[in-house]
C-alpha cells in the first residue's frame, strides 16, 4: 500500500494503468482499477488524503473493507 501524496503521484498512478486505487470518503472506501474514469484529478484535488494505491486487489481488501466501483468493476 502506498498513500498517494500529491497530484504528481496521482497522475503517475493513473498513467501507469497498473494496480488499484482505494478512494475513501466519509461514507465508504471504494476500490477502482487505476485507469478508472471515475477517479479524476478534480476528485483528488478535493480529497487528496483519501487515496491509496495497491499493486493487487487482495492487498487492498486486506487493508480496507472496500466496496467495488460500479464503473470499472475491479476483480470481475
Amino acid at each position: 500500500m502506498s498513500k498517494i501524496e500529491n497530484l504528481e503521484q496521482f497522475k503517475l498512478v493513473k498513467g501507469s494503468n497498473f494496480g488499484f486505487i482505494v478512494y475513501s470518503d466519509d461514507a465508504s472506501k471504494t476500490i477502482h482499477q487505476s485507469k478508472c474514469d471515475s477517479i479524476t484529478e478534480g476528485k483528488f484535488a478535493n480529497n487528496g488524503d483519501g487515496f491509496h494505491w495497491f499493486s493487487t486487489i487482495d492487498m487492498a481488501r486486506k487493508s480496507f473493507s472496500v466496496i467495488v466501483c460500479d464503473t470499472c468493476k475491479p476483480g470481475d
Side-chain angles (χ1 to χ4, degrees):
M1 173 182 79
S2 177
K3 183 176 180 192
I4 302 173
E5 298 285 343
N6 55 50
L7 187 57
E8 186 174 314
Q9 282 183 332
F10 177 80
K11 289 178 181 180
L12 287 171
V13 168
K14 289 283 290 178
S16 75
N17 195 22
F18 176 76
F20 301 89
I21 297 173
V22 172
Y23 169 67
S24 59
D25 60 17
D26 293 335
S28 63
K29 292 175 178 51
T30 307
I31 189 165
H32 304 264
Q33 294 179 35
S34 63
K35 65 181 178 184
C36 183
D37 291 334
S38 69
I39 297 293
T40 63
E41 289 181 26
K43 189 176 269 191
F44 180 82
N46 289 330
N47 186 16
D49 288 339
F51 288 79
H52 294 84
W53 177 86
F54 294 86
S55 59
T56 69
I57 197 168
D58 289 335
M59 289 177 69
R61 287 183 170 150
K62 287 179 183 176
S63 297
F64 294 109
S65 176
V66 296
I67 59 173
V68 174
C69 171
D70 290 335
T71 302
C72 66
K73 298 177 179 36
D76 282 354

